[in-house]
Short mmCIF file of all heavy atoms in Angstrom, two decimals:
data_model
loop_
_atom_site.label_atom_id
_atom_site.label_comp_id
_atom_site.label_asym_id
_atom_site.label_seq_id
_atom_site.Cartn_x
_atom_site.Cartn_y
_atom_site.Cartn_z
N LYS A 145 -49.17 112.15 -71.44
CA LYS A 145 -50.48 112.60 -71.92
C LYS A 145 -51.02 113.75 -71.10
O LYS A 145 -51.79 114.59 -71.60
CB LYS A 145 -51.47 111.43 -71.91
CG LYS A 145 -51.77 110.82 -70.57
CD LYS A 145 -52.55 109.52 -70.71
CE LYS A 145 -51.61 108.34 -70.83
NZ LYS A 145 -52.21 107.08 -71.13
N VAL A 169 -46.87 108.51 -78.39
CA VAL A 169 -46.30 107.26 -77.90
C VAL A 169 -47.40 106.39 -77.29
O VAL A 169 -47.36 105.17 -77.36
CB VAL A 169 -45.19 107.54 -76.86
CG1 VAL A 169 -44.80 106.29 -76.09
CG2 VAL A 169 -43.97 108.16 -77.53
N ASP A 170 -48.40 107.01 -76.71
CA ASP A 170 -49.53 106.29 -76.13
C ASP A 170 -50.05 105.32 -77.20
O ASP A 170 -50.24 105.71 -78.36
CB ASP A 170 -50.62 107.32 -75.76
CG ASP A 170 -51.36 106.91 -74.51
OD1 ASP A 170 -51.26 105.74 -74.11
OD2 ASP A 170 -52.06 107.77 -73.94
N SER A 171 -50.28 104.05 -76.84
CA SER A 171 -50.53 103.02 -77.86
C SER A 171 -51.77 103.31 -78.70
O SER A 171 -51.78 103.09 -79.91
CB SER A 171 -50.63 101.65 -77.21
OG SER A 171 -51.66 101.64 -76.27
N GLU A 172 -52.83 103.84 -78.07
CA GLU A 172 -54.07 104.11 -78.80
C GLU A 172 -53.86 105.23 -79.81
O GLU A 172 -54.35 105.17 -80.94
CB GLU A 172 -55.19 104.51 -77.83
CG GLU A 172 -55.59 103.44 -76.82
CD GLU A 172 -54.61 103.31 -75.66
OE1 GLU A 172 -53.60 104.06 -75.62
OE2 GLU A 172 -54.84 102.45 -74.80
N HIS A 173 -53.12 106.24 -79.40
CA HIS A 173 -52.90 107.40 -80.27
C HIS A 173 -51.90 107.07 -81.36
O HIS A 173 -52.01 107.55 -82.49
CB HIS A 173 -52.47 108.60 -79.42
CG HIS A 173 -53.46 108.84 -78.31
ND1 HIS A 173 -53.53 108.01 -77.22
CD2 HIS A 173 -54.46 109.75 -78.18
CE1 HIS A 173 -54.52 108.41 -76.44
NE2 HIS A 173 -55.10 109.46 -77.00
N THR A 194 -59.75 102.16 -77.92
CA THR A 194 -60.02 100.91 -77.20
C THR A 194 -59.47 101.00 -75.78
O THR A 194 -58.46 101.66 -75.52
CB THR A 194 -59.41 99.70 -77.93
OG1 THR A 194 -58.05 99.98 -78.22
CG2 THR A 194 -60.17 99.39 -79.21
N TRP A 222 -50.88 95.19 -69.41
CA TRP A 222 -49.74 96.10 -69.57
C TRP A 222 -48.98 96.24 -68.24
O TRP A 222 -49.59 96.28 -67.19
CB TRP A 222 -50.22 97.51 -69.95
CG TRP A 222 -51.01 97.63 -71.22
CD1 TRP A 222 -52.36 97.62 -71.33
CD2 TRP A 222 -50.51 97.83 -72.55
NE1 TRP A 222 -52.72 97.80 -72.63
CE2 TRP A 222 -51.61 97.93 -73.41
CE3 TRP A 222 -49.21 97.94 -73.10
CZ2 TRP A 222 -51.49 98.11 -74.79
CZ3 TRP A 222 -49.09 98.13 -74.47
CH2 TRP A 222 -50.21 98.21 -75.30
N MET A 224 -46.90 98.96 -66.29
CA MET A 224 -46.69 100.41 -66.42
C MET A 224 -46.34 101.00 -65.05
O MET A 224 -46.39 100.31 -64.04
CB MET A 224 -47.98 101.07 -66.93
CG MET A 224 -48.56 100.40 -68.16
SD MET A 224 -50.13 101.11 -68.68
CE MET A 224 -51.26 100.42 -67.49
N ILE A 228 -50.29 105.51 -63.80
CA ILE A 228 -51.10 105.14 -64.96
C ILE A 228 -51.80 103.79 -64.73
O ILE A 228 -52.88 103.54 -65.26
CB ILE A 228 -50.27 105.15 -66.28
CG1 ILE A 228 -51.18 104.82 -67.47
CG2 ILE A 228 -49.10 104.28 -66.25
CD1 ILE A 228 -50.50 104.93 -68.82
N SER A 232 -55.68 103.32 -65.09
CA SER A 232 -56.28 102.31 -65.96
C SER A 232 -57.37 101.55 -65.22
O SER A 232 -58.41 101.24 -65.79
CB SER A 232 -55.22 101.32 -66.45
OG SER A 232 -54.26 101.99 -67.20
N ASN A 237 -57.53 106.74 -67.04
CA ASN A 237 -56.56 106.73 -68.12
C ASN A 237 -57.26 106.93 -69.47
O ASN A 237 -56.81 107.71 -70.31
CB ASN A 237 -55.75 105.43 -68.11
CG ASN A 237 -54.68 105.42 -69.19
OD1 ASN A 237 -53.92 106.37 -69.33
ND2 ASN A 237 -54.66 104.36 -69.99
N LYS A 238 -58.40 106.23 -69.64
CA LYS A 238 -59.11 106.38 -70.92
C LYS A 238 -59.68 107.79 -71.04
O LYS A 238 -59.70 108.38 -72.12
CB LYS A 238 -60.21 105.32 -71.04
CG LYS A 238 -60.49 104.84 -72.42
CD LYS A 238 -59.24 104.48 -73.24
CE LYS A 238 -58.32 103.46 -72.63
NZ LYS A 238 -57.15 103.14 -73.44
N GLU A 241 -57.01 109.96 -72.10
CA GLU A 241 -56.67 109.67 -73.51
C GLU A 241 -57.68 110.27 -74.48
O GLU A 241 -57.33 110.63 -75.61
CB GLU A 241 -56.57 108.16 -73.72
CG GLU A 241 -55.34 107.60 -73.02
CD GLU A 241 -55.11 106.12 -73.25
OE1 GLU A 241 -55.94 105.48 -73.91
OE2 GLU A 241 -54.11 105.62 -72.74
N GLU A 244 -56.57 113.73 -74.72
CA GLU A 244 -55.31 113.72 -75.49
C GLU A 244 -55.61 113.60 -77.00
O GLU A 244 -55.03 114.32 -77.82
CB GLU A 244 -54.45 112.53 -75.02
CG GLU A 244 -53.12 112.39 -75.74
CD GLU A 244 -52.35 111.12 -75.33
OE1 GLU A 244 -52.93 110.21 -74.72
OE2 GLU A 244 -51.15 111.06 -75.66
N HIS A 267 -55.60 98.32 -81.16
CA HIS A 267 -55.14 99.43 -80.31
C HIS A 267 -55.94 100.71 -80.48
O HIS A 267 -55.82 101.60 -79.65
CB HIS A 267 -53.64 99.66 -80.50
CG HIS A 267 -52.86 98.46 -80.05
ND1 HIS A 267 -53.00 97.93 -78.78
CD2 HIS A 267 -52.01 97.64 -80.70
CE1 HIS A 267 -52.23 96.85 -78.68
NE2 HIS A 267 -51.63 96.66 -79.83
N MET A 286 -45.42 98.21 -75.34
CA MET A 286 -45.17 99.64 -75.56
C MET A 286 -43.94 99.92 -76.42
O MET A 286 -43.78 101.00 -76.95
CB MET A 286 -45.04 100.38 -74.22
CG MET A 286 -46.35 100.66 -73.52
SD MET A 286 -47.60 101.45 -74.57
CE MET A 286 -46.83 103.03 -74.93
MG1 MG B 16 -52.82 104.22 -73.70
#
Side-chain angles (χ1 to χ4, degrees):
K145 62 190 89 187
V169 167
D170 215 344
S171 59
E172 297 78 0
H173 306 73
T194 51
W222 301 95
M224 309 176 284
I228 182 175
S232 299
N237 183 49
K238 212 47 56 180
E241 290 184 357
E244 180 185 15
H267 296 305
M286 282 309 296

